[in-house]
């Protein structure tokens, strides 16, 4: 595994600089810096409680950092509310399924697409006349293979399918930056490899930040690995180097596997 | 897609409207007034359902907007001349909308139980504002002597002093507003507020500034609630602080839950049923001496509805129709 | 206005605030622990006040009314939790609001049946009559000092019980995770009953204590309920400390508002609430989101 597939000339989409947040006395994320470019899959690994999900929450605007800076294409976006960050094309998926269970799969994705293409401030024109969002929703469902279930309520889907719907909503939002919080959690072998293939395909024109516990999978698709422990970055580098790094093995792989 | 209730219910509702259209032929003053009230409160309950059942905002202060429009009508009407409906109605509704914007801007920042308490508190503030001051008669309330007249260029189209005109205007308004809300709910805006009700957090992560959507929904509901209050003030020819009181807000919520949260047509049935129940409980020939304590009966009725009538009348109807359909297939 | 009369007004405000605290603390703790919004809470205050009227007439004094009123309101709260409130634990806020709204309608009508519509007054006990002279012309009634003292003592007791006793620990744990506590073998149902009954008794006692200084009238329950809501919103829902400071803030603001802004007195406290909502939507001591 190397970073051969990465187009190094591509612009940096996300530039994270010394990000920190404290919960009471706990330093949940401490002085974390990294960059994320188009075509790159950057994975964060680390034991539970390392601050990985907190980091994503900071990037997506659901939490506000105490210090540090997040730049998107050169604009500082630190402290912007979640909806503004999403509207800039930074989308995220959730570790715990976070969908609209009562709505059809299509409606789930339609809301995502509409959020990106237009506002909801239209009062008299029927929602289903919005062709652009309809097409984007259908496309995103097709990518994850849920098109034939488009009109089923999301709550009728299996767990694995709901995870796929989660990703499909993210795609309908058409983000440039994808923040994926354990997209493989709870998936079977085959579903996992489907999702991994999907992520790899997406990496061609997106910047992807991936949090994942499945270390095998991460080594297989990431071009950059960051190891986090107790809110701090222990080491960053290409997978080969991380694999050989004794310190990382000691801190994480050593007692984990 | 515009979602109307299933055909059997639609037919039943249409028949009900036809029956309502025929009732004035009996000429019974009492019944006509009672049913006109049902229409006004039906609109009021519908507007609250838009908030509670479709946006997920449980407001316990909705009567504020109901009362504000009535008071506005009283305050802007000239003393000894009937005002023209063409301008007093929009102005009254606008006053309610502005009040909803002010109260909403603060309340919509809060969630769940806070929202309930905050809306109740602000509505109560307005109640005291009218109750403790000498605006419009203070705690005694004030009469609306001249009911609005709808005139275009000196031609009087109808006069709300005429009980038939008021009856049909209310019935027509109720139907029109029902359709209007149905259209709004089918629009992108409607899709977004319903998304907010189900999962607000996710809507924000999809790029929607949910605050503004909730606020606009609050203002729409407030304006329509004001429309209902305007009609109500015309029916009674009287406004008092009680119109804005927490009791009125509570009863509106009872109408919504009795009729079925999130069904839009249900709350209208809820309003009709609740007013009907009140008539029965106060009727000495039906409940005997208990009529003196009709509030206790009302309280028990409310508790039974909340505990046992799952989904309300509208929900029960929808379920019934669905079951019949499954059996038929 | 001179300094002394200002101090008297502030003392009145503190006294009102302490009374509010007794009511708001029950409201906030019942929400914090059981997740229930109880509109009928103001009715307990009204019931307390009417109990004070009847009991002091029957037994000849406010002290016996207090002594009898505490077990009566406790028992009432216990039964109410057992037969009505327990139905609400797994229902949404809307249903809780409406069911307790129904309760208010019933309580109000029962009040009408039992005591009628005229306002009642309750005499101040003889030993507590009179006033402490503050200057040649100004004095402060002893009963109001007594009232504040009792409220403070109850607040202190509540603090100690919740902070330092075993049951207090269980109550605090209960507000964060009832299932866990159940699994640990704690009788959560009993804790709920107990907390609710204590909340009712606190509001009831507040009603008894207030009866000699306020008029006892039919709508007093709702009046105090709304103000208690304002207190809870300002303090932060579920926070007893918030209820304490919120109640003092509202008590003093309300009294001073009546002195300095008589024309807008009834809306001053709502203005305070609006301001707090602007800067901290989840209350001064509430957990922010």
């Amino acid at each position: 595994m190397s970073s051969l597939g990465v187009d190094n000339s591509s612009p940096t989409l996300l530039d994270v600089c010394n990000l920190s947040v404290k919960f009471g006395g706990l330093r949940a994320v401490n002085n974390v810096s990294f960059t994320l470019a188009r075509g790159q899959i950057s994975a964060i690994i680390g034991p539970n409680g390392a601050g990985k999900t907190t980091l994503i929450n900071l990037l997506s605007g659901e939490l506000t950092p105490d210090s540090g800076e997040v730049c998107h294409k050169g604009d500082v976006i630190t402290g912007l509310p979640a909806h503004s960050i999403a509207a800039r094309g930074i989308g995220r998926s959730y570790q715990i399924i976070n969908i609209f269970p009562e709505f059809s799969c299509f409606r789930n994705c339609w809301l995502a697409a509409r959020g990106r293409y237009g506002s909801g401030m239209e009062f008299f024109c029927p929602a289903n006349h919005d062709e652009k969002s309809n097409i984007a929703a259908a496309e995103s469902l097709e990518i994850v293979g849920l098109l034939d279930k488009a009109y089923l309520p999301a709550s009728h889907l299996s767990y694995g399918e709901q995870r796929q719907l989660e990703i499909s909503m993210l795609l309908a939002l058409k983000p440039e930056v994808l923040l994926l919080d354990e997209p493989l959690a709870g998936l079977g072998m085959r579903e996992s490899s489907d999702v991994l293939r999907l992520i790899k395909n997406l990496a061609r024109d997106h910047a992807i930040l991936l949090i994942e516990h499945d270390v095998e999978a991460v080594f297989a698709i990431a071009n950059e690995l960051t190891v986090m422990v107790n809110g701090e970055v222990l080491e960053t580098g290409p997978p080969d180097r991380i694999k050989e790094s004794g310190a990382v093995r000691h801190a994480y792989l050593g007692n984990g596997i | 897609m515009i979602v109307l209730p299933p055909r059997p219910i639609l037919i039943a509702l249409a028949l009900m409207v036809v029956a309502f259209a025929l009732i004035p032929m009996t000429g019974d003053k009492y019944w006509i007034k009672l049913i006109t009230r049902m229409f006004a409160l039906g609109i009021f309950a519908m507007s609250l359902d838009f908030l509670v059942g479709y946006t997920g905002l449980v407001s316990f202060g909705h009567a504020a907007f109901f009362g504000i429009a009535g008071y506005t009508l009283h305050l802007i009407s000239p003393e000894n001349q009937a005002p023209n409906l063409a301008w007093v109605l929009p102005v009254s509704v606008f006053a309610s909308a502005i009040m909803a914007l002010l109260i909403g801007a603060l309340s919509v920042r809060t969630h769940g139980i806070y929202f309930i308490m905050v809306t109740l508190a602000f509505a109560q503030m307005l109640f005291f504002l009218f109750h403790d001051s000498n605006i419009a008669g203070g705690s005694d309330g004030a009469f609306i002597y001249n009911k609005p007249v709808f005139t275009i260029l000196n031609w009087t189209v109808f006069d709300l002093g005429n009980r038939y005109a008021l009856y049909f205007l209310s019935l027509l308004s109720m139907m029109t507003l029902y359709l209007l809300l149905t259209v709004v709910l089918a629009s992108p805006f409607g899709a977004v507020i319903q998304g907010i009700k189900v999962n607000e957090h996710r809507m924000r992560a999809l790029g929607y500034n949910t605050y503004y959507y909730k606020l606009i929904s609050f203002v729409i509901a407030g304006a329509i609630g004001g429309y209902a209050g305007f009609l109500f003030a015309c029916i009674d020819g009287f406004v008092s602080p009680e119109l804005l009181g927490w009791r009125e807000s509570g009863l509106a919520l009872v109408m919504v839950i009795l009729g079925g949260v999130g069904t839009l047509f249900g709350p209208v049935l809820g309003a009709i049923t609740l007013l009907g129940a009140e008539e029965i409980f106060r009727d000495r020939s039906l409940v005997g001496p208990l009529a003196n304590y009709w509030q206790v009966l009302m309280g028990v009725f409310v508790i039974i509805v909340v505990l046992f009538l799952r989904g309300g009348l509208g929900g029960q109807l929808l379920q019934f129709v669905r079951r019949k359909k499954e059996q038929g297939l | 206005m001179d300094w002394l009369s200002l101090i008297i007004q502030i003392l009145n405000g503190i006294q009102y605030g302490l009374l509010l605290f007794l009511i708001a603390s029950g409201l906030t703790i019942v929400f914090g622990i059981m997740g229930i919004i109880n509109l009928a809470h103001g009715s307990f205050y009204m019931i307390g006040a009417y109990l004070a009227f009847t009991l002091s007439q029957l037994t000849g004094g406010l002290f016996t009314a207090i002594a009898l009123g505490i077990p009566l309101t406790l028992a009432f709260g216990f039964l109410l939790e057992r037969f009505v409130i327990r139905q609400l634990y797994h229902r949404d806020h809307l249903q809780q609001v409406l069911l307790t709204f129904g309760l208010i309608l019933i309580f109000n009508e029962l009040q009408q049946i039992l005591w009628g519509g005229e306002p009642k007054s309750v005499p101040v006990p003889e030993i507590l009559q009179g006033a402490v002279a503050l200057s040649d012309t100004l004095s402060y009634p002893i009963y109001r000092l007594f009232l504040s003292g009792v409220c403070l003592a109850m607040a202190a007791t509540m603090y100690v019980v919740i902070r330092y006793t075993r049951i207090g620990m269980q109550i605090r744990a209960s507000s964060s995770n009832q299932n866990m506590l159940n699994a640990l073998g704690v009788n959560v149902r009993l804790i709920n009953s107990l907390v609710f009954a204590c909340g009712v008794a606190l509001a009831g006692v507040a009603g008894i204590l207030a009866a000699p200084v306020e008029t006892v009238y039919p709508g007093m329950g709702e009046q105090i309920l709304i103000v208690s809501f304002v207190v809870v919103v300002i303090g932060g829902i579920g926070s007893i400390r918030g209820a304490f400071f919120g109640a003092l803030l509202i008590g003093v603001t309300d009294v001073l508002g009546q002195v300095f802004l008589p024309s807008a007195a009834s809306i001053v406290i709502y203005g305070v609430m609006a301001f707090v909502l602007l800067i901290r939507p989840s209350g001064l001591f509430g957990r922010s989101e």
Side-chain angles (χ1 to χ4, degrees), chain A residues 62 82-83 86-87 92 94 98-103 107-108 110-112 114-116 119-128 166 169 173, chain B residues 1-2 180 183-192 194-210 212-213 216 220:
Chain A
E62 275 149 90
H83 60 85
R92 68 166 296 183
Y94 290 84
N98 195 349
I99 55 177
F100 303 93
E102 300 158 35
F103 296 168
R107 178 58 89 74
N108 270 274
W110 187 92
L111 282 170
R114 179 80 193 189
R116 186 75 170 124
S119 83
M121 293 295 179
E122 226 182 290
F123 298 85
F124 300 110
C125 169
N128 55 356
E166 176 88 48
M169 283 166 75
L173 192 62
Chain B
M1 196 169 52
I2 290 176
L180 181 80
V183 168
V184 169
L185 284 170
S187 72
F189 178 80
V192 172
Q194 290 172 72
I196 290 173
K197 187 197 174 206
V198 175
N199 191 344
E200 181 176 357
H201 172 236
R202 190 62 168 129
M203 287 303 280
R204 270 201 295 264
L206 292 178
Y208 295 98
N209 187 351
T210 54
Y212 288 114
Y213 290 93
I216 290 174
I220 292 175

Side-chain angles (χ1 to χ4, degrees), chain B residues 13-306:
Chain B
L13 291 176
L15 287 175
M16 207 169 79
V17 169
V18 173
F20 278 139
L22 295 176
I23 280 177
M25 294 189 4
T26 63
D28 186 312
K29 274 191 215 165
Y30 187 78
W31 279 96
I32 290 176
K33 189 166 180 181
L34 177 67
I35 296 172
T36 320
R37 268 213 199 103
M38 287 175 175
F39 295 152
L41 289 174
I43 296 172
F44 185 42
M46 212 156 59
S47 71
L48 184 57
D49 192 30
F50 187 74
L51 264 192
V52 177
Y54 292 94
T55 323
L57 295 171
V58 179
S59 165
F60 207 122
H62 204 51
F65 316 118
F66 188 73
I68 285 292
Y71 267 101
T72 308
L73 170 64
H74 168 79
L75 293 172
I76 61 177
S77 294
E79 213 153 281
N80 30 21
Q81 186 198 339
N84 189 351
L85 188 73
W87 72 274
V88 285
L89 177 60
V91 169
S92 304
V93 170
F94 186 70
S96 285
I98 290 292
M99 196 47 85
L101 185 67
L102 291 175
I103 293 180
L106 285 167
S107 335
V108 162
R109 291 163 62 90
T110 65
H111 297 266
I113 203 156
Y114 271 96
F115 185 77
I116 296 175
M117 294 193 194
V118 169
T119 46
L120 173 58
F122 280 128
Q124 230 27 43
M125 176 183 90
L126 291 179
F127 170 83
F128 285 121
L129 196 65
F130 286 104
H131 189 271
D132 294 355
S133 68
N134 44 19
I135 308 168
S139 59
D140 295 333
F143 287 98
I144 294 164
Y145 291 108
N146 300 300
K147 298 197 177 163
V149 176
F150 186 41
T151 46
I152 307 173
L153 304 170
N154 293 329
W155 174 51
T156 303
V157 187
F158 56 80
D159 175 357
L160 291 187
N162 177 320
R163 72 175 71 87
Y164 297 101
L166 193 52
Y167 184 95
F168 283 106
L169 176 70
S170 303
L171 177 60
L172 216 65
S173 302
M174 187 172 82
M175 289 159 59
T176 314
L177 287 169
Y178 174 76
L179 285 177
L180 181 80
L181 286 179
T182 311
V183 168
V184 169
L185 284 170
S187 72
F189 178 80
V192 172
I193 58 169
Q194 290 172 72
I196 290 173
K197 187 197 174 206
V198 175
N199 191 344
E200 181 176 357
H201 172 236
R202 190 62 168 129
M203 287 303 280
R204 270 201 295 264
L206 292 178
Y208 295 98
N209 187 351
T210 54
Y211 175 79
Y212 288 114
Y213 290 93
K214 290 197 291 181
L215 182 57
I216 290 174
S217 175
F218 196 81
V219 173
I220 292 175
I224 297 180
Y227 191 103
F230 178 91
L231 290 177
F232 200 82
C234 290
I235 298 165
D236 277 2
F238 182 69
V239 286
S240 69
E242 276 67 37
L243 285 183
L244 316 114
W246 68 285
R247 231 186 97 94
E248 206 64 37
S249 296
L251 286 175
L253 277 175
V254 174
M255 290 171 199
V256 172
I257 202 167
L258 168 61
V261 181
T263 59
L264 212 56
F265 71 91
V268 175
L269 301 181
I272 294 171
T273 314
L274 194 79
L275 277 181
E278 194 181 310
E279 284 303 306
I280 293 171
F281 296 153
R282 295 171 91 156
D283 191 334
R284 205 165 258 284
S285 63
L286 288 174
V287 296
L290 274 178
N292 289 341
Y293 314 123
W294 67 276
Q295 296 260 29
V296 174
L297 294 177
M298 203 66 177
V300 173
F301 179 70
V302 169
I303 289 175
I304 288 174
V305 165
V306 174

Side-chain angles (χ1 to χ4, degrees), chain C residues 155-173 240-241:
Chain C
T157 314
M158 211 189 306
Y159 181 79
V160 171
V161 167
I162 289 179
R163 195 92 214 181
Y164 298 109
T165 64
R166 194 179 163 72
I167 184 91
M169 199 184 71
Q170 291 178 345
I171 289 174
R172 273 181 291 147
I240 298 183
R241 189 188 318 194

Side-chain angles (χ1 to χ4, degrees), chain C residues 92-105:
Chain C
D92 57 32
H93 292 329
L94 177 59
Q95 291 177 315
Q96 297 174 356
V97 161
L98 289 178
L99 197 135
T100 50
F101 174 73
L103 283 181
I104 300 187
L105 295 181

Side-chain angles (χ1 to χ4, degrees), chain C residues 139-154:
Chain C
S139 59
Y140 198 75
I142 295 176
Y143 183 77
R144 282 183 185 266
L145 290 175
F146 163 78
L147 174 55
S148 303
V150 174
C151 291
L152 270 177
M154 287 175 78

